[in-house]
Amino acid sequence: MSLNHGRTQLAIPGPSVIPERVLLAMHRPSPNIYEGELIEVTHSLVPDLKTVAQTKGDVAIYIANGHGAWEAALRNTIAPGEKVVVIATGRFGAGWGDLAKDMGIETIVLDFGMHSDADPQKLEEVLRADTKGEIKAVLTVQTDTASSVRNDVVALRKAIDAAGHDALYMVDCIACLGCDAFHMDEWSVDVMVAACQKGLMTPAGLGFVYFNDKAAQARNGKQPGFYFDWVPRADPEMYYQFFGGTAPTHHIYGLREALDMMVHEEGLEACWKRHETIARAYCSAVEAWGEGDGMHHNIADKTKRSNAVSTITTGPGEAAKMRKWVEENAGVTLGIGLGFGAPGSVEFVRRFRIGHMGHQNIAMTMGVIGSIDCALKALNIKHGDGALDAASKVLAAH
Ligand SMILES: *Cc1c(COP(=O)(O)O)cnc(C)c1O
């Protein structure tokens, strides 16, 4: 007999939990795509999308997942045969680099492993050595969803400037837009890619490429192809009406509702702060469980942890057993140890991830922590006490 009846909770790092309000906003017949409400709603998304990224630059909307946004960003700025630096701090920075390579772009990968953020000094050295200016862009993630590290976007910008290098600075915020603070203009980010299914709480299917004037210049002379060209897709007159094909009708309504919740009701600053507190609650629970040499957060330096996702290491094989237990008995789905060896390998099955992006509250946070606590007890896995107590203290103090 199982206790697992009632609502389930998806706690993987994307797609994230979709609010009822977003689901309901999408529950409607297909609208007229040529005139009327849909056009107005589409127009209304753009200022809010810019607010979320803290930019006055342009944003192109694609019917695509994050991989589509990755490809779009590169097609508009880098020609095959040109060179980019790829910063790898987990799985996703490297993944963007693999995609670039597949497009015929030459990549210099700076790999910082699975446990730490990028070292700006190393980036500066590589850029300084490029005396001929062959490097056209620096690609990095803000949060890597595999390692759960948060890179210092400002420090990397400073490294590019210190080297006196002209490369475009391109940042992937797919995991953490709306969760980790991000200021595109203030931080001089030239291109930013995002998608709607993580912090933005909408079903997967919309990709965003933000770009500033410098990146717009880089677009000249490139051949991104009809679908990926960001010029028409960022132009209201040409695009919002016709979308280069059928508009993603229901995603538009869903995203409208999600942005209302984040930008107009909660407020972006408050949204970032909520994510920070919830992430800290998870961290303090993990710390309590891991007293001694047990479970621990993948990123030792607390200041480098993302507010969107936590990657946790357990004893051999324990993470996989816990994931299975909470899914079958608690109705909670935790993320797999992505990027840590092949699925099923020793390193893989001793890691799990918790997605805490977007639609999250105290009940959900304590529910996941409590469910993991039950799993540890049910499976007789050695652990420290007081995880719920530690987490509730953090949440109560918000
Ligand atoms: C999820 C994610 C991606 C990939 O997005 P898809 O929509 O799955 O293609 C890329 N980068 C980061 C940082 C992500 O979290």
Side-chain angles (χ1 to χ4, degrees):
M1 283 189 293
S2 167
L3 291 172
N4 187 13
H5 299 271
R7 268 178 204 261
T8 55
Q9 189 174 331
L10 189 67
I12 65 175
S16 64
V17 173
I18 304 169
E20 291 293 322
R21 280 175 58 182
V22 171
L23 291 171
L24 287 171
M26 298 176 78
H27 191 78
R28 63 174 77 216
S30 287
N32 180 358
I33 59 168
Y34 301 111
E35 56 191 7
E37 188 188 52
L38 186 78
I39 312 288
E40 299 306 312
V41 175
T42 308
H43 270 286
S44 77
L45 295 176
V46 175
D48 292 334
L49 284 170
K50 291 183 183 183
T51 297
V52 168
Q54 296 287 285
T55 185
K56 293 190 166 66
D58 285 305
V59 56
I61 307 172
Y62 295 88
I63 305 178
N65 60 16
H67 281 70
W70 271 352
E71 183 158 343
L74 293 169
R75 282 190 181 276
N76 282 279
T77 53
I78 313 294
E82 289 185 335
K83 209 183 274 184
V84 300
V85 171
V86 176
I87 289 173
T89 52
R91 182 66 212 105
F92 287 88
W96 197 5
D98 291 344
L99 187 143
K101 220 161 133 188
D102 195 63
M103 291 169 65
I105 295 165
E106 206 182 310
T107 58
I108 304 167
V109 180
L110 300 183
D111 193 346
F112 298 94
M114 292 296 291
H115 306 283
S116 63
D117 66 332
D119 178 0
Q121 191 77 40
K122 291 264 162 57
L123 175 63
E124 189 181 328
E125 281 164 22
V126 168
L127 293 176
R128 274 190 196 281
D130 179 39
T131 49
K132 291 194 205 134
E134 286 175 345
I135 295 168
K136 298 301 173 198
V138 173
L139 276 50
T140 188
V141 294
Q142 183 178 23
T143 284
D144 195 292
T145 326
S147 65
S148 74
V149 78
R150 180 179 54 230
N151 283 304
D152 187 338
V153 174
V154 176
L156 293 170
R157 169 82 254 174
K158 282 189 182 147
I160 299 171
D161 293 343
H165 204 287
D166 196 38
L168 286 175
Y169 185 30
M170 301 173 57
V171 180
D172 166 347
C173 294
I174 296 171
C176 58
L177 191 65
C179 313
D180 287 315
F182 181 79
H183 301 264
M184 179 161 175
D185 293 354
E186 196 185 318
W187 295 356
S188 298
V189 171
D190 299 309
V191 176
M192 189 272 274
V193 297
C196 67
Q197 79 273 25
K198 298 187 186 179
L200 302 186
M201 309 185 292
T202 304
L206 293 178
F208 310 104
V209 180
Y210 293 78
F211 56 96
N212 66 8
D213 289 343
K214 181 175 172 179
Q217 293 285 322
R219 160 69 186 78
N220 296 332
K222 301 296 183 303
Q223 296 186 319
F226 175 83
Y227 187 80
F228 284 109
D229 192 352
W230 70 27
V231 173
R233 275 173 203 277
D235 180 339
E237 294 309 314
M238 290 164 82
Y239 187 51
Y240 302 158
Q241 219 121 348
F242 302 108
F243 250 91
T246 307
T249 50
H250 290 66
H251 280 78
I252 289 170
Y253 283 109
L255 184 62
R256 177 65 271 154
E257 193 71 19
L259 289 169
D260 278 344
M261 293 169 73
M262 290 173 70
V263 177
H264 298 293
E265 295 169 24
E266 182 175 16
L268 188 61
E269 295 269 343
C271 190
W272 291 338
K273 282 213 154 58
R274 174 170 56 86
H275 280 86
E276 189 198 321
T277 298
I278 287 174
R280 274 197 293 114
Y282 278 113
C283 288
S284 59
V286 172
E287 214 167 287
W289 284 321
E291 256 181 24
D293 59 353
M295 206 193 282
H296 59 271
H297 196 289
N298 181 55
I299 303 299
D301 183 344
K302 287 184 185 174
T303 65
K304 313 276 188 188
R305 295 175 182 171
S306 174
N307 292 332
V309 50
S310 298
T311 303
I312 295 150
T313 306
T314 66
E318 289 171 359
K321 285 186 209 146
M322 286 165 51
R323 279 188 47 248
K324 188 168 184 311
W325 193 93
V326 297
E327 180 145 54
E328 288 176 356
N329 297 281
V332 170
T333 304
L334 298 169
I336 56 173
L338 189 74
F340 293 89
S345 67
V346 173
E347 292 305 311
F348 183 92
V349 297
R350 65 182 304 197
R351 278 162 182 115
F352 70 93
R353 293 174 303 153
I354 304 168
H356 33 84
M357 43 191 55
H359 198 51
Q360 305 286 328
N361 63 20
I362 291 180
M364 294 162 81
T365 308
M366 293 303 279
V368 171
I369 294 171
S371 298
I372 294 170
D373 204 69
C374 290
L376 291 167
K377 290 175 168 64
L379 296 167
N380 279 317
I381 294 172
K382 192 169 155 273
H383 63 283
D385 287 330
L388 283 133
D389 193 49
S392 63
K393 281 189 178 116
V394 173
L395 295 167
H398 182 70

